[in-house]
C-alpha cells in the first residue's frame, strides 16, 4: 500500500498504485484518447499520402481555400481554421485536464506533484537546449527552439494501441501528467513567444469575455446555448488580439468547476469534458493533423532533415532531449526527495515513458508553423523532422515496452483481479475486514466443491445436500 499523504515520516512511492476513483477516471479518459490517437495516426498517414502522390495539387487547393468574414479578420484558409479553430477545442480539454489534475489528480498535493512536474520541466528544457546547441553550432534559425518540447498524449497512446502493449495505470497516469504539464508549458510559450502585433483593446475585450464566462459558470447558469456563443466571441477576440487563439480554450477550461456540490454526482468540468473529449480526440486533432502533416518528402528532403541544424535540433530534441530530460528529471527527483520508485516497476519503465514523451506531434507541428511562419520551406522541413523524430521515439519506446510486456501483463492482471465478483478489484479491498470474510467464505465453498468432486470421482454416494 502507498503511504497516506499525511504520513510525513515515510517515503512516498513514485508510480505507485492509483486510488480506485482516479484509476477508473483515467481508464475512461485514456480509452477515448487511445481511439483518438489511432485516428490521428490514420490522418497523418493520409496527409502524407495526399502530399506525395498525384493528389497533391487537390490537397494544396483544399488546404489553401479561404472562407470566413473578412470584416472580422476571419477570412482564413482551411489549414488556418484547423490550426486556430479546431485546436482550440483540444486546448480547452487540456485546460480541463490541468484543472482536474490540480484539484483532484496527481498535481493536487505539492509533494506528490513535485516529481512529475520536475520530470516534465526537465523534459521541456533539455530538448530546447539540444535544439539551441545544434542551431548555434550550425548557424541555424533559433526561432524553433520550442518545437521539440511538447508531448502528444493522443499520438503516444495511439502508438500503444497499435503496438498492443498495455501499461499499468500508474505509468499511464505519469504519461498523462507529463502531457498535461507539457500542454501548459506549450500554451504559455505560444502566448509569450509566438504571438505578434498585440492589440490590447481586443485582448482586454477577450479578458472581459472570460470574466463573464467565469461569472455565469460559478453562478450556476446552465445551457450550451449560453456558453457556445460566448466562447466563440471570446475566441474571435483572442484571435483578433494577436495572442494565439488557442489560449482562449485553455483559459475557459481552467475556469470550469471540478469540485462537487451537494446533490451532484459529477462536476460541471467532468460533465463537459465527457461531452467534448470525443470531439477533440476524434475530430479536431485528426483534422488538424490532416492539414498540418502533409509535407512533401523526397530523398532530398530526407537528406535535408539530417543535414540542417534546425531539423537536426528537432529530431534529436524529440528523440534524445525528451528521453534524457524526462528520465533524468524523474531520477534526480527520486534521488534528492523522499520519493522512491514502486518496487514492482523498474527504471526501464520510466525510460519507456520518457521515450514515449518524445512523440511531440500535434503541438510540435503547430509551433513549427508559428516559428517559421515567414519561411514555408523551413516550416515544412521542421514538420518532416517532427514526424521523423516522433517515429524514432515511438520505435525506441516500443522496443522497451515489448521487453517489459510480460511484467506489465502480470501487474495489470493483479490490478484487475476480482475473485469475489463485487466489481471492485481485490487489491483495493485487502485492508477491509469484510473483504477477508467474503474471501474466506469463497475459499471454503471452493474447497467443499473440490471435496465433493473428489468423492464423486471416487464413487461416493452424493446427494444435492452433499456427500452421504
Amino acid at each position: 500500500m502507498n503511504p497516506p499523504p499525511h504520513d510525513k515520516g515515510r517515503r512516498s512511492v513514485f508510480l505507485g498504485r492509483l486510488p480506485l476513483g482516479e484509476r477508473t477516471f483515467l481508464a475512461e479518459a485514456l480509452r477515448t484518447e487511445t481511439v483518438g490517437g489511432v485516428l490521428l495516426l490514420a490522418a497523418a498517414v493520409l496527409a502524407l499520402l495526399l502530399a506525395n502522390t498525384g493528389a497533391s495539387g487537390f490537397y494544396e487547393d483544399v488546404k489553401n481555400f479561404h472562407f470566413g468574414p473578412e470584416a472580422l479578420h476571419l477570412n482564413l484558409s482551411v489549414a488556418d481554421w484547423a490550426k486556430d479553430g479546431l485546436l482550440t477545442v483540444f486546448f480547452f480539454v487540456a485546460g480541463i485536464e490541468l484543472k482536474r489534475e490540480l484539484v483532484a489528480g496527481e498535481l493536487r498535493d505539492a509533494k506528490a506533484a513535485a516529481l512529475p512536474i520536475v520530470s516534465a520541466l526537465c523534459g521541456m528544457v533539455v530538448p530546447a537546449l539540444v535544439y539551441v546547441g545544434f542551431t548555434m553550432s550550425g548557424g541555424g534559425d533559433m526561432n524553433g527552439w520550442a518545437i521539440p518540447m511538447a508531448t502528444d498524449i493522443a499520438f503516444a497512446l495511439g502508438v500503444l494501441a497499435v503496438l498492443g502493449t498495455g501499461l499499468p495505470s500508474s505509468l499511464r497516469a505519469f504519461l498523462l501528467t507529463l502531457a498535461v504539464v507539457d500542454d501548459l508549458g506549450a500554451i504559455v510559450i505560444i502566448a509569450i513567444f509566438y504571438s505578434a502585433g498585440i492589440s490590447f483593446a481586443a485582448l482586454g475585450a477577450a479578458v472581459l469575455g472570460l470574466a463573464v464566462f467565469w461569472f455565469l459558470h460559478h453562478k450556476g447558469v446552465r445551457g450550451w446555448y449560453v456558453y457556445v456563443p460566448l466562447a466563440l466571441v471570446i475566441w474571435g477576440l483572442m484571435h483578433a488580439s494577436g495572442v494565439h487563439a488557442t489560449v482562449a480554450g485553455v483559459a475557459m477550461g481552467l475556469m470550469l468547476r471540478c469540485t462537487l456540490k451537494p446533490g451532484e454526482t459529477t462536476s460541471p468540468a467532468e460533465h463537459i469534458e465527457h461531452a467534448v473529449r470525443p470531439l477533440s480526440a476524434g475530430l479536431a486533432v485528426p483534422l488538424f493533423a490532416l492539414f498540418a502533416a502533409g509535407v512533401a518528402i523526397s530523398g532530398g528532403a530526407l537528406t535535408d532533415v539530417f543535414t540542417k541544424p534546425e531539423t537536426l535540433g528537432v529530431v534529436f530534441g524529440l528523440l534524445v532531449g525528451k528521453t534524457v530530460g524526462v528520465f533524468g528529471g524523474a531520477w534526480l527527483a527520486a534521488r534528492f526527495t523522499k520519493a522512491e520508485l514502486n518496487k514492482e516497476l523498474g527504471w526501464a519503465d520510466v525510460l519507456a515513458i520518457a521515450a514515449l514523451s518524445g512523440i511531440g506531434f500535434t503541438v510540435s507541428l503547430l509551433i513549427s508553423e508559428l516559428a517559421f511562419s515567414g519561411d514555408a520551406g523551413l516550416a515544412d522541413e521542421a514538420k518532416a523532422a517532427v514526424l521523423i523524430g516522433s517515429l524514432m521515439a515511438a520505435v525506441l519506446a516500443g522496443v522497451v515496452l515489448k521487453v517489459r510486456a510480460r511484467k506489465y501483463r502480470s501487474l495489470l492482471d493483479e490490478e484487475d483481479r476480482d475473485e469475489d465478483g463485487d466489481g471492485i478489484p481485490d487489491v483495493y479491498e485487502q485492508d477491509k475486514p469484510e473483504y477477508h470474510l467474503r474471501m474466506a467464505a469463497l475459499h471454503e465453498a471452493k474447497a467443499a466443491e473440490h471435496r465433493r468432486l473428489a468423492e464423486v470421482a471416487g464413487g461416493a454416494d452424493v446427494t444435492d445436500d452433499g456427500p452421504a
Side-chain angles (χ1 to χ4, degrees):
M1 291 293 291
N2 294 339
H6 62 273
D7 190 348
K8 297 181 180 179
R10 299 177 63 184
R11 297 174 66 86
S12 60
V13 178
F14 171 45
L15 299 180
R17 189 172 66 247
L18 297 179
L20 181 58
E22 184 72 10
R23 180 176 181 266
T24 303
F25 175 86
L26 181 73
E28 182 180 349
L30 295 188
R31 191 176 299 115
T32 302
E33 290 288 1
T34 301
V35 173
V38 175
L39 294 175
L40 180 59
L41 286 169
V45 171
L46 178 59
L48 289 170
L49 290 174
L50 290 173
N52 292 277
T53 61
S56 59
F58 169 76
Y59 176 69
E60 289 298 322
D61 289 341
V62 173
K63 276 179 61 175
N64 296 320
F65 178 76
H66 282 65
F67 67 97
E70 181 65 47
L72 299 177
H73 305 287
L74 291 176
N75 185 242
L76 308 175
S77 68
V78 169
D80 284 338
W81 276 110
K83 177 183 67 177
D84 296 344
L86 290 177
L87 270 197
T88 302
V89 180
F90 166 79
F91 278 108
F92 175 68
V93 174
I96 299 175
E97 287 177 341
L98 177 61
K99 179 67 173 288
R100 188 185 177 282
E101 288 293 315
L102 290 169
V103 173
E106 292 292 300
L107 304 180
R108 68 186 181 277
D109 178 67
K111 290 184 179 179
L115 196 145
I117 289 176
V118 169
S119 187
L121 291 176
C122 290
M124 298 173 71
V125 172
V126 175
L129 293 177
V130 170
Y131 180 93
V132 170
F134 274 100
T135 52
M136 286 184 67
S137 61
D141 190 331
M142 298 276 287
N143 206 36
W145 60 272
I147 295 173
M149 293 175 65
T151 294
D152 192 310
I153 183 66
F155 209 123
L157 292 170
V159 169
L160 287 178
V162 171
L163 291 174
T165 303
L167 288 175
S169 57
S170 58
L171 288 172
R172 289 178 177 266
F174 183 49
L175 179 60
L176 178 62
T177 305
L178 287 174
V180 168
V181 177
D182 269 2
D183 287 341
L184 175 62
I187 204 66
V188 170
I189 288 167
I190 289 170
I192 296 174
F193 297 100
Y194 296 108
S195 297
I198 304 298
S199 168
F200 289 100
L203 180 59
V207 171
L208 180 61
L210 288 169
V212 173
F213 183 97
W214 179 89
F215 178 80
L216 293 175
H217 178 66
H218 284 267
K219 285 296 182 181
V221 176
R222 300 292 182 91
W224 64 267
Y225 46 83
V226 174
Y227 293 101
V228 171
L230 179 58
L232 291 174
V233 171
I234 294 170
W235 175 86
L237 289 168
M238 192 68 74
H239 186 276
S241 74
V243 176
H244 200 270
T246 52
V247 174
V250 173
M252 287 184 280
L254 285 170
M255 289 180 176
L256 297 182
R257 177 169 57 83
C258 291
T259 55
L260 293 175
K261 287 185 176 180
E264 290 183 336
T265 55
T266 59
S267 68
E270 185 178 349
H271 175 74
I272 294 171
E273 182 184 14
H274 184 76
V276 178
R277 185 183 288 276
L279 177 63
S280 169
L283 180 66
V285 174
L287 280 179
F288 167 75
L290 180 63
F291 295 112
V295 294
I297 299 179
S298 61
L302 290 176
T303 301
D304 288 343
V305 167
F306 290 99
T307 55
K308 290 192 172 183
E310 298 91 347
T311 48
L312 280 171
V314 171
V315 170
F316 285 96
L318 289 170
L319 177 63
V320 178
K322 290 294 288 187
T323 303
V324 171
V326 170
F327 182 87
W331 186 86
L332 287 172
R335 173 68 176 80
F336 295 106
T337 69
K338 289 187 175 182
E340 60 182 12
L341 184 66
N342 183 351
K343 290 181 173 57
E344 294 180 327
L345 299 170
W347 283 105
D349 304 307
V350 182
L351 179 65
I353 298 301
L356 272 174
S357 71
I359 301 175
F361 194 77
T362 303
V363 179
S364 293
L365 291 178
L366 172 62
I367 297 178
S368 297
E369 293 191 357
L370 299 176
F372 304 125
S373 57
D375 188 339
L378 184 54
D380 281 348
E381 290 170 351
K383 289 180 183 180
V386 169
L387 297 176
I388 292 170
S390 295
L391 177 61
M392 294 171 72
V395 171
L396 173 61
V399 170
V400 181
L401 290 169
K402 283 297 183 184
V403 170
R404 301 284 292 173
R406 182 177 299 177
K407 179 68 173 178
Y408 296 149
R409 280 195 295 271
S410 66
L411 289 174
L412 280 173
D413 289 344
E414 180 64 20
E415 281 188 0
D416 293 334
R417 185 167 55 86
D418 183 17
E419 287 191 22
D420 58 351
D422 66 347
I424 301 175
D426 295 340
V427 72
Y428 291 96
E429 297 185 291
Q430 290 175 356
D431 288 343
K432 297 179 180 179
E434 60 270 22
Y435 165 77
H436 292 287
L437 290 175
R438 287 201 308 271
M439 293 304 298
L442 179 64
H443 291 157
E444 177 58 32
K446 288 182 178 179
E449 182 64 19
H450 289 157
R451 290 193 298 270
R452 174 190 173 92
L453 292 174
E455 291 174 356
V456 169
D461 183 14
V462 179
T463 69
D464 288 340
D465 295 324

